Amino acid sequence: MVRAPSFLYRLYERRLMAELPGRELPRHVSVILDGNRRWARELGQPAAYGHRKGADRMTEFLEWCEEVDIKIVTLWLLSTDNLNREEKELHELMGIICDAVEALAQTGRWKLAMVGNLDMLPEFSRKRLRDAEAQTSAVEGVYVNIAVGYGGRQEIADAVREFLRDEAAEGRTLEEVASSLTLDDITAHLYTKGQPDPDLVIRTSGEQRMSGFMLWQSVHTEMYFCEVYWPDFRRTDFLRALRDFTQRERRLGK
């Protein structure tokens, strides 16, 4: 694919940025970082090469979010389905993810939160991720959810399980719980409890499906599907997604 000269992209980015002031931008942007393996395969490289390049792109993306004052970002790095991949690739991928999350923590710029069922991960990886999260506990920058070992169905099941345990600890019977259960009860036990739902979900690589991502939270979310693979995702692509978001009429079911 022939690319336009970089100076043309810079001019185009300036034009896109000029269109954003005064528009309502998303508070919470979530991203399905898709296409790392296919990107590597097209270059004749192993999957790990694509995963590393994709991990490198995260810092830039968070800087772009800072630039337009987005408050919350969710990055989906590893699904529960991904845990079924070949052992060698999964081991490499977990190492790359841990390295990338630790690098984000070491900047001291962003507050990290792990979202997912980390009990499904190897113990050493789980510890590295939790330690990186703790390292940023006092940071007041962009709030960044790192979705690892994440699946939308798994999240809802875990939320219901946690809710039932809390109710049992209060001495309530199953019949009492069933008769009083509300949507807010489930929401209050999600991995993202206390956060606003994502306003915008971006998926790279041309795939036009959610794959179970944030099933509960995305009822009123705007979707943006981008053709480029995640390692090739540019600031231009991000600004296009934001412009597209500002041009939509969000009725939120009303």
Side-chain angles (χ1 to χ4, degrees):
M1 181 177 66
V2 177
R3 289 188 176 276
S6 60
F7 78 90
L8 291 180
Y9 276 118
R10 290 196 295 272
L11 289 174
Y12 184 44
E13 287 175 359
R14 290 176 191 169
R15 175 183 164 190
L16 291 171
M17 281 292 289
E19 295 180 20
L20 297 182
R23 304 284 187 93
E24 184 177 351
L25 294 175
R27 296 170 300 167
H28 182 174
V29 173
S30 297
V31 189
I32 303 173
L33 287 62
D34 197 17
N36 293 330
R37 291 198 298 176
R38 279 170 284 167
W39 181 85
R41 189 182 306 126
E42 290 183 9
L43 293 176
Q45 297 289 341
Y49 181 78
H51 293 316
R52 289 192 187 94
K53 290 298 183 180
D56 291 343
R57 182 67 64 190
M58 293 193 300
T59 297
E60 285 183 288
F61 182 79
L62 293 178
E63 290 171 346
W64 302 336
C65 289
E66 279 183 327
E67 186 179 15
V68 293
D69 199 29
I70 288 170
K71 304 298 185 184
I72 303 173
V73 176
T74 299
L75 302 174
W76 194 13
L77 307 187
L78 184 78
S79 72
T80 50
D81 290 339
N82 294 154
L83 295 173
N84 297 320
R85 288 183 178 176
E86 181 182 326
E87 184 177 353
K88 180 178 182 295
E89 180 184 352
L90 184 59
H91 178 76
E92 289 179 329
L93 178 54
M94 283 307 312
I96 292 166
I97 288 173
C98 289
D99 288 346
V101 173
E102 288 170 344
L104 293 180
Q106 288 166 7
T107 68
R109 296 172 62 178
W110 305 299
K111 185 179 182 67
L112 307 184
M114 301 303 122
V115 296
N117 190 326
L118 296 195
D119 290 339
M120 302 176 73
L121 306 180
E123 182 177 355
F124 182 64
S125 298
R126 185 164 63 244
K127 183 179 186 307
R128 290 181 66 185
L129 294 173
R130 286 298 187 199
D131 287 348
E133 178 184 49
Q135 185 179 341
T136 68
S137 60
V139 175
E140 296 183 356
V142 176
Y143 197 100
V144 183
N145 295 314
I146 304 293
V148 180
Y150 176 89
R153 291 179 175 178
Q154 184 69 49
E155 178 178 27
I156 294 170
D158 287 346
V160 172
R161 188 177 298 112
E162 183 180 344
F163 169 71
L164 292 176
R165 286 172 176 161
D166 288 349
E167 294 298 295
E170 294 293 326
R172 303 187 68 199
T173 67
L174 185 58
E175 181 60 34
E176 289 172 333
V177 173
S179 63
S180 64
L181 178 65
T182 68
L183 298 180
D184 287 342
D185 292 327
I186 305 300
T187 300
H189 291 81
L190 296 172
Y191 301 146
T192 57
K193 55 194 170 191
Q195 300 179 23
D197 292 339
D199 301 295
L200 174 65
V201 168
I202 300 170
R203 180 168 189 159
T204 57
S205 86
E207 300 293 347
Q208 298 189 19
R209 60 179 183 272
M210 290 292 286
S211 300
F213 184 50
M214 304 191 92
L215 283 173
W216 188 275
Q217 300 93 327
S218 62
V219 61
H220 296 306
T221 299
E222 300 295 327
M223 315 297 180
Y224 183 85
F225 300 106
C226 181
E227 291 294 325
V228 301
Y229 296 137
W230 174 250
D232 280 336
F233 190 77
R234 303 157 302 178
R235 183 169 175 264
T236 302
D237 300 307
F238 178 56
L239 294 175
R240 281 174 176 163
L242 294 183
R243 181 182 63 179
D244 183 84
F245 176 86
T246 66
Q247 293 173 343
R248 300 187 188 185
E249 182 183 356
R250 303 193 71 207
R251 293 188 291 273
L252 304 178
K254 298 177 183 176

